[in-house]
Amino acid sequence: MIRNTTLSLLIMALSACSAPVTRQAGIDNSHSETEKTLQRELAFQSQVNRSLKAQRIGLPILRESASHCGSNTAPHLGLLAFTRAHFKGELQEAASKHWQLSDEYKIVEVFANSPASKAGLKPGDVVMRINNQAVTPSNYELRKLIAGPYTTGLPVPVDIMRAGEAQTLTLDMEVICNYPVNVVSSDAVNAYADGKAIYITSGMMRFTETDEELATVIGHELAHNQMDHIGKQSNNRMLGVILGAIVTVATGVDVTNLGGNMGAGAFSQDFEAEADYVGIYATARAGYDIKQAPNFWRRMGAEHPAGIAHGASHPNTANRYLALDKAVQEIAEKQTAGLALAPNLK
């Protein structure tokens, strides 16, 4: 009874709230649905454009750093191909319309200077067989289809349909670092790595002004994976938990979680500085002009003034600018001397 009375009083109070006083034109439901569909298509196109840009800029970095990624490499053909089945829900409708997809495995993008590009594959080609294996909706994972040729080093035959005509092209695979570049929907100006992939936010995609700036970001995140910073931080956290447990037993005050957090934070600034240093080498190896790379941190300082003089898990932007500027000079000297572009190790 009290609950019903309270609800009634709330409704009465809300009915006294101010309301708009203008008379606006009504919106037809069918027009609303049409506009929603259009906006979904525009949103999908925007997502696709950001993703393709990140992959296009990241591919040379992953390719030229393959020898620095140890055993974590993978074959790469340099193309994107989809069927309708790759997408679900509203995305399926938008993707199907954008690329005119069906149940056939259709190439939608071929990256420059890739095996697919060199072999003559083009967007719009329908892939029928890879390595003499039929491509079907239940069997369209490229890496599985090219696993055999990858281990033997043999070229990959690809059977396609182009404008109704069957053709067979041969691709020589390339090996790249096995850290795919992904764009995630977030307004935060951020990028991160998890030991398995590289993630760039849509906010960071908008913030970077040039291909070289985005390449600098991708190189930095690749370096986190190359140097196993995620694994090292995990080990440091575990060590902190163990030490915290020992202190907890000795004092009776539970500091286990505190110890874990302190362990995880150990050397975090040093790891970030190392990623800047190793990452700019990766960017340079890919052929990007890195002379203006340090300016990225000046712009980041202007965007986030609190980070100019102080940093918690990351070095401050002033020091990052200066350190990266020295790294750029170091790389320039090695290029002039004809030396390999590899970071200096302790």
Side-chain angles (χ1 to χ4, degrees):
M1 185 68 177
I2 295 176
R3 181 179 180 181
N4 291 339
T5 302
T6 302
L7 181 60
S8 298
L9 290 172
L10 179 59
I11 293 174
M12 291 175 61
L14 291 175
S15 65
C17 291
S18 300
V21 296
T22 56
R23 181 180 298 172
Q24 302 176 47
I27 298 175
D28 185 276
N29 287 337
S30 63
H31 292 168
S32 177
E33 291 305 314
T34 299
E35 180 61 23
K36 289 176 184 176
T37 299
L38 174 60
Q39 291 190 21
R40 290 190 191 104
E41 292 172 0
L42 293 173
F44 179 79
Q45 291 172 18
S46 180
Q47 292 171 12
V48 166
N49 291 338
R50 284 195 291 264
S51 178
L52 291 179
K53 179 179 180 181
Q55 292 185 62
R56 171 177 59 80
I57 293 174
L59 180 56
I61 299 174
L62 299 178
R63 178 196 298 127
E64 299 304 322
S65 290
S67 61
H68 297 262
C69 285
S71 61
N72 200 5
T73 58
H76 183 74
L77 296 181
L79 61 83
L80 294 178
F82 300 113
T83 70
R84 284 176 52 86
H86 278 89
F87 302 91
K88 305 298 180 184
E90 295 175 349
L91 277 182
Q92 186 176 85
E93 181 180 355
S96 298
K97 186 172 182 179
H98 182 69
W99 283 315
Q100 299 180 342
L101 297 179
S102 64
D103 292 333
E104 296 178 315
Y105 198 70
K106 184 177 183 181
I107 296 177
V108 300
E109 185 72 19
V110 174
F111 295 103
N113 301 317
S114 69
S117 173
K118 294 173 183 177
L121 285 167
K122 299 178 180 180
D125 290 345
V126 175
V127 182
M128 307 304 294
R129 283 174 295 278
I130 295 180
N131 194 32
N132 300 315
Q133 300 179 70
V135 178
T136 66
S138 61
N139 181 28
Y140 50 51
E141 291 190 39
L142 287 182
R143 292 186 180 182
K144 290 183 179 180
L145 293 174
I146 62 179
Y150 172 54
T151 57
T152 61
L154 296 174
V156 181
V158 178
D159 298 321
I160 64 168
M161 291 292 293
R162 179 180 294 169
E165 179 182 346
Q167 297 185 32
T168 300
L169 303 175
T170 302
L171 286 75
D172 293 313
M173 285 185 297
E174 67 182 11
V175 176
I176 64 174
C177 293
N178 190 20
Y179 299 115
V181 180
N182 304 294
V183 176
V184 295
S185 181
S186 169
D187 288 333
V189 180
N190 193 22
Y192 55 95
D194 64 358
K196 298 178 180 178
I198 294 167
Y199 302 90
I200 313 293
T201 66
S202 50
M204 178 63 81
M205 294 294 296
R206 290 191 292 269
F207 178 76
T208 52
E209 293 183 338
T210 65
D211 288 359
E212 289 74 20
E213 281 194 346
L214 182 55
T216 299
V217 173
I218 293 173
H220 172 92
E221 299 306 332
L222 172 62
H224 276 310
N225 288 335
Q226 278 182 298
M227 306 306 290
D228 191 29
H229 289 162
I230 293 82
K232 291 175 181 177
Q233 286 180 319
S234 178
N235 291 338
N236 291 344
R237 175 182 289 277
M238 182 58 65
L239 178 60
V241 167
I242 293 172
L243 294 176
I246 294 173
V247 174
T248 297
V249 171
T251 64
V253 179
D254 189 354
V255 294
T256 306
N257 289 335
L258 176 61
N261 292 335
M262 291 177 67
F267 301 109
S268 62
Q269 290 198 10
D270 296 309
F271 286 150
E272 291 297 332
E274 184 173 66
D276 284 346
Y277 178 63
V278 174
I280 201 63
Y281 268 91
T283 305
R285 280 195 301 269
Y288 288 104
D289 185 351
I290 61 171
K291 290 192 292 292
Q292 299 302 317
N295 287 331
F296 175 81
W297 290 112
R298 281 183 171 169
R299 295 207 312 107
M300 188 64 78
E303 182 76 7
H304 301 287
I308 294 175
H310 303 284
S313 60
H314 293 59
N316 64 62
T317 56
N319 287 347
R320 295 184 86 166
Y321 171 89
L322 294 171
L324 200 58
D325 188 52
K326 287 186 176 182
V328 168
Q329 295 176 34
E330 177 180 293
I331 290 171
E333 292 171 359
K334 290 183 178 181
Q335 289 173 325
T336 300
L339 300 176
L341 296 186
N344 296 331
L345 301 179
K346 294 180 180 179

